[in-house]
Amino acid sequence: MKQTPETIVLVNFGCEDIQKFARSIRDRHIYTMVMPYTVPAERVMEEKPVGLILCADAGTPERPGAREKFEALKLPILDLTSGTGTGDVDAAVAFCCQCGCHGSWTMEKFIDEAVADIRRQVGSAKVVLGLSGGVDSSVVAALIHKAIGRQLTCVFVNHGLLRKNEPELVQEIFARNFDMNLCYIDASDRFLDKLKGVADPEQKRKIIGKEFIEVFAEAAAKVDAPFLGQGTIYPDILESIPLDGNPNGVIKSHHNVGGLPKNMKFKLVEPVERLFKDEVRQVGRLLGLPSELIDRHPFPGPSLGVRHVGPIERDTLHMLREADAIVTEELTRAGWYHKTWQTFAIFVPVKTVGIKNGQRSYDYVIAIRSINSVDAVTAQVVRLPWELLETMMERIVREVDGVNRVVYDITAKPPGTIEWE
């Protein structure tokens, strides 16, 4: 991981809002990292922090010996383990300033550091980048291209889980906006065959991650690229690695973090791995990326694979793809697309009795989810107009064969995650 000057490490002793707290301090242009209390002292010191903030919610039991481990580092410490201070951002910022932080961590400075870091890491070698057309990978493509130009080859893989017309749209946008090497690979059958019959979401993510690496390895061999660029962002890492040291504490393994094979031969280039989603968007705007890329709704790397609950079959995947396209079309037509962070359809592998074309039907369920967020750490449900939801429902039931019922997900994050899997 890249080191950032003037780093403050937040040590999590059991604080539910620690990510939100970290974001609040970052908003004051002070760089923060979150680490579990189980982290080895040596790992903390690798980041060369100028201070530590120990965080815990009220009533959280003190971890025997853990506090002493951090006190032994002889760094300034702000102790918030009593659970009374995580809402006091001003006090935390004052502590950071006392530790020598000057509020100089800006996205402009980040770009300069990231470009220099990429050049230092890669040298004259080549990089192959997994491009999805989403915000994260697009910003990474722009950053790496700014750093090393034609040494970068972007590989856009159609894994059969993309949205309707996505392969054509992504290729057209990049051809129009970027002068960079772009290789398109249709590996739909390859991925879908591997996923056939797999219901467990963690297994799905790992299969997709492993297959991605193999496809990239084949593409990289053709251009002799030892480096793999990825659009990994900070929430991916935080959700994939247990903050309390307990493997059961993993929220979900992102295909580009916990889903990567251990014997991977690539060296990773992940220039935005320490940024939250809104920070990535700021970088994209500073790099001059068009709104059609920067302001697109976030789309997970495993794509519709984590919006299709249960085993993926080609016919049910088609239902989801068509339903999702209807949701996006109607959201855009009603002027709500840019009022929401994400709005999408989910395939639910449950059949219910209904009436279609005047006859009894026994078909599947589609769920609609619409949320607003700043950084994907927490999310609030959007109260879409009832008339808009009715229009979506009527079109889905009428136009998508095999679906006779539509429901609306009203769960915030937490307790739910944004994606269903």
Side-chain angles (χ1 to χ4, degrees):
M1 280 184 149
K2 179 180 179 296
Q3 290 180 348
T4 302
E6 300 182 5
T7 294
I8 295 290
V9 171
L10 305 188
V11 182
N12 188 8
F13 279 79
C15 175
E16 184 175 333
D17 290 331
I18 195 165
Q19 294 182 39
K20 185 184 295 185
F21 189 48
R23 285 289 295 107
S24 298
I25 300 173
R26 281 191 182 201
D27 286 342
R28 310 291 183 89
H29 304 298
I30 296 170
Y31 181 71
T32 59
M33 285 189 71
V34 176
M35 292 186 178
Y37 76 92
T38 53
V39 67
E42 296 77 14
R43 174 68 189 94
V44 176
M45 296 309 293
E46 284 176 5
E47 297 298 331
K48 299 181 179 177
V50 295
L52 307 177
I53 301 180
L54 313 185
C55 304
D57 291 331
T60 301
E62 195 60 67
R63 316 289 182 173
R67 195 182 191 286
E68 289 74 11
K69 172 178 66 176
F70 297 105
E71 290 177 338
L73 298 178
K74 304 301 182 182
L75 290 169
I77 291 178
L78 175 62
D79 189 353
L80 300 178
T81 54
S82 61
T84 59
T86 52
D88 192 348
V89 177
D90 290 336
V93 170
F95 168 76
C96 296
C97 293
Q98 292 170 8
C99 294
C101 296
H102 298 87
S104 60
W105 191 70
T106 65
M107 291 304 98
E108 290 88 349
K109 187 173 181 180
F110 168 82
I111 291 174
D112 292 339
E113 292 178 350
V115 167
D117 193 56
I118 293 168
R119 288 173 179 164
R120 185 165 48 249
Q121 179 185 6
V122 172
S124 59
K126 295 181 179 179
V127 178
V128 61
L129 168 68
L131 182 70
S132 69
V135 176
D136 304 330
S137 65
S138 297
V139 170
V140 168
L143 267 175
I144 297 178
H145 188 259
K146 181 179 177 66
I148 61 173
R150 304 295 288 185
Q151 292 169 237
L152 170 67
T153 296
C154 293
V155 178
F156 176 40
V157 177
N158 180 357
H159 46 30
L161 302 168
L162 297 174
R163 291 169 288 194
K164 189 175 182 179
N165 301 324
E166 187 86 355
E168 298 80 9
L169 177 64
V170 170
Q171 291 180 82
E172 188 276 326
I173 290 176
F174 270 80
R176 178 161 35 90
N177 290 283
F178 298 100
D179 179 23
M180 62 175 66
N181 303 320
L182 177 59
C183 172
Y184 171 70
I185 299 175
D186 187 348
S188 303
D189 290 337
R190 179 171 171 172
F191 277 82
L192 294 178
D193 288 347
K194 291 283 180 69
L195 289 167
K196 185 175 179 59
V198 178
D200 180 72
E202 283 292 282
Q203 191 178 355
K204 281 186 193 176
R205 287 176 175 270
K206 286 180 168 58
I207 288 173
I208 293 171
K210 180 177 183 296
E211 203 64 23
F212 259 124
I213 294 300
E214 291 184 2
V215 172
F216 289 143
E218 294 165 9
K222 296 178 181 178
V223 296
D224 190 26
F227 289 94
L228 170 64
Q230 288 201 134
T232 305
I233 63 174
Y234 203 35
D236 295 344
I237 295 172
L238 292 179
E239 289 191 340
S240 298
I241 299 174
L243 290 180
D244 60 359
N246 180 357
N248 294 325
V250 172
I251 296 174
K252 55 187 175 183
S253 296
H254 289 259
H255 79 288
N256 54 344
V257 185
L260 293 177
K262 295 181 179 179
N263 61 346
M264 188 179 66
K265 297 179 181 179
F266 286 111
K267 298 175 184 177
L268 294 179
V269 181
E270 299 178 307
V272 298
E273 66 176 346
R274 293 185 169 209
L275 300 187
F276 287 92
K277 179 72 75 172
D278 58 316
E279 295 166 340
V280 174
R281 282 199 166 104
Q282 291 178 44
V283 170
R285 290 191 177 91
L286 290 170
L287 291 171
L289 269 65
S291 175
E292 58 190 325
L293 283 177
I294 293 300
D295 296 321
R296 294 188 79 194
H297 284 185
F299 193 50
S303 308
L304 297 181
V306 291
R307 294 178 180 176
H308 185 297
V309 180
I312 297 173
E313 301 293 340
R314 284 170 169 77
D315 60 339
T316 53
L317 181 61
H318 175 74
M319 296 176 198
L320 172 58
R321 184 175 286 116
E322 293 297 317
D324 187 73
I326 290 171
V327 168
T328 301
E329 288 171 13
E330 293 302 330
L331 192 75
T332 303
R333 183 177 291 121
W336 274 84
Y337 185 87
H338 294 298
K339 295 179 183 178
T340 69
W341 169 275
Q342 275 179 282
T343 302
F344 53 90
I346 305 104
F347 174 80
V348 184
V350 172
K351 284 190 172 183
T352 68
V353 175
I355 304 170
K356 290 189 74 170
N357 302 320
Q359 296 182 338
R360 179 187 186 276
S361 68
Y362 189 54
D363 290 327
Y364 288 107
V365 176
I366 289 290
I368 297 173
R369 182 150 173 75
S370 184
I371 56 96
N372 272 333
S373 181
V374 174
D375 49 29
V377 173
T378 60
Q380 302 76 44
V381 176
V382 177
R383 298 190 179 190
L384 291 178
W386 191 252
E387 296 78 8
L388 174 56
L389 288 172
E390 282 186 321
T391 300
M392 292 176 178
M393 177 276 297
E394 289 170 355
R395 281 195 60 193
I396 290 171
V397 172
R398 182 176 67 250
E399 299 176 24
V400 182
D401 290 337
V403 175
N404 69 357
R405 192 176 298 269
V406 177
V407 298
Y408 193 56
D409 181 357
I410 61 170
T411 313
K413 177 184 180 180
T417 55
I418 293 176
E419 303 295 341
W420 273 36
E421 290 195 336

